[in-house]
Amino acid sequence: FMLKEIFEGPEAVENSSRGRVMVKEGKAKLGGIESVSQKLEKINRLIITGCGTAYYAGMLGKYMLEEYAGIATEVDNASELRYRQPIFSPDTALLSISQSGETADTLAAIREAKKMGLTTLGITNVVGSTIAREVDAGVYNHIGPEIGVASTKAFISQLIVLLLLALHLGRDRKMSASEGKQIAAEIAVLPSKMRRIFRFKEKIEEIARKYSEYDNFLYMGRKYSFPIALEGALKLKEISYMHAEGYSAGEMKHGPIAMIDENFPSVFIAPRDSVYQKTLGNMEEIKARDGKIIAIATEGDER
Ligand code: BG6
């Protein structure tokens, strides 16, 4: 099921964004949160919470909501948020992410936030789930059941819904129409770009076979690729039972690099983005210690 659901990724993008992207206006329409739209206009701080892969989606959501909607955002494991004493102010909203809509820690964090009078939102894939019923408003993933325990198509869908939320909130705030149209246009072409990756299926299997004997891996990335590195390391642990640690590429020199040698490979998520040169520098540091590198890079990037 997990492999099948990986290949459903492009379809998940299409299903999650269908009827929600207004390409001409460069806006997103999210019916499920219209009931709280007045409250959301007054929100100046968002707390995103979830567990496992949903939490990593939330980390990416933080970067998107800050960069594209200009909203101060923090992310917390639900299992931490429910026990610490968070300081909530009236202009704070809680955004929970949960594929199943039943994860106990996430549900408990929502109940804590409701007790403190926060507006609670949810992104979930199961209509009528407990979380869907308990939050004030929310957005469904609409990707059909995810059978695999390890989240795959749901993770991709969560990122799309978070991007749509950032677009929706951003256009109500400072985001220009041209920027909104650019994002809307990219969402439309994303599924075909994802399908291009499937052409490398055999290549990916060959790399997996080549690296199947190692016991430890570091997964690294910067900015938007950092939560992806964490998610990649989680998948290696929970699917292949091999030890992997996700780390921000900029931080690995402050300690973890000490473990690197020819027996401790690294995986870098290194697209041509705003932190590409910095990430290349980190890769050089790894190579200087004979560390092997698997790079996930922009097509055609020979470096
Ligand atoms: C964990 C799963 O038990 O729960 C993860 O192994 C999942 O794959 C996490 O991301 C959160 O689940 P949900 O349904 O709240 O997104």
Side-chain angles (χ1 to χ4, degrees), residues 20-186:
R20 293 172 165 170
V21 182
M22 299 144 78
V23 182
K24 277 197 302 306
E25 299 87 343
K27 288 186 173 182
K29 190 162 58 70
L30 298 169
I33 58 169
E34 270 161 19
S35 60
V36 293
S37 57
Q38 275 76 16
K39 284 186 187 168
L40 290 185
E41 275 158 27
K42 293 197 271 300
I43 293 297
N44 293 314
R45 184 162 159 246
L46 259 182
I47 296 186
I48 301 179
T49 195
C51 301
T53 300
Y55 167 66
Y56 297 141
M59 287 179 73
L60 261 141
K62 165 191 165 73
Y63 289 167
M64 291 193 257
L65 284 155
E66 287 174 340
E67 182 166 356
Y68 295 110
I71 299 177
T73 307
E74 58 189 84
V75 204
D76 231 336
N77 276 114
S79 52
E80 283 297 310
L81 182 61
R82 66 184 288 199
Y83 294 114
R84 71 180 176 82
Q85 298 303 322
I87 308 296
F88 292 141
S89 40
D91 67 349
T92 306
L94 181 84
L95 171 61
S96 60
I97 305 175
S98 173
Q99 190 281 133
S100 62
E102 302 298 343
T103 298
D105 285 324
T106 310
L107 186 55
I110 293 166
R111 287 172 175 163
E112 285 301 309
K114 286 179 80 167
K115 268 188 225 152
M116 298 177 194
L118 263 71
T119 300
T120 55
L121 305 175
I123 298 175
T124 187
N125 187 38
V126 179
V127 177
S129 60
T130 308
I131 287 177
R133 279 184 282 109
E134 297 212 4
V135 292
D136 298 323
V139 184
Y140 284 120
N141 296 90
H142 289 317
I143 56 169
E146 180 170 72
I147 312 295
V149 170
S151 179
T152 50
K153 65 175 183 176
F155 177 62
I156 290 168
S157 171
Q158 286 159 357
L159 298 184
I160 293 299
V161 171
L162 285 162
L163 179 58
L164 291 170
L165 186 63
L167 179 58
H168 174 76
L169 296 175
R171 292 283 281 116
D172 281 351
R173 293 160 192 247
K174 297 193 303 288
M175 188 191 291
S176 66
S178 63
E179 188 169 23
K181 285 176 190 168
Q182 203 182 336
I183 292 173
E186 279 298 326

Side-chain angles (χ1 to χ4, degrees), residues 2-3 6-7 193-213 217 219 232 235-236 239-240 242 267-269 293-297 299:
M2 184 174 130
L3 192 59
I6 289 173
F7 283 96
K193 289 188 175 182
M194 290 169 73
R195 288 189 177 98
R196 290 168 63 93
I197 295 172
F198 296 156
R199 284 182 352 215
F200 300 113
K201 180 175 178 295
E202 285 68 34
K203 175 79 181 161
I204 292 169
E205 283 179 30
E206 178 194 317
I207 294 173
R209 228 185 307 281
K210 181 178 170 192
Y211 282 83
S212 58
E213 301 309 316
F217 290 78
Y219 277 65
K235 282 291 179 289
L236 197 71
I239 300 300
S240 315
M242 294 158 82
V267 177
F268 273 93
I269 296 97
I293 295 176
I294 300 171
I296 299 170
E299 198 169 358

Side-chain angles (χ1 to χ4, degrees), residues 212-228:
S212 58
E213 301 309 316
Y214 291 98
D215 299 316
N216 295 289
F217 290 78
L218 254 189
Y219 277 65
M220 287 175 277
R222 284 176 176 257
K223 207 177 169 197
Y224 287 106
S225 299
F226 170 39
I228 300 296

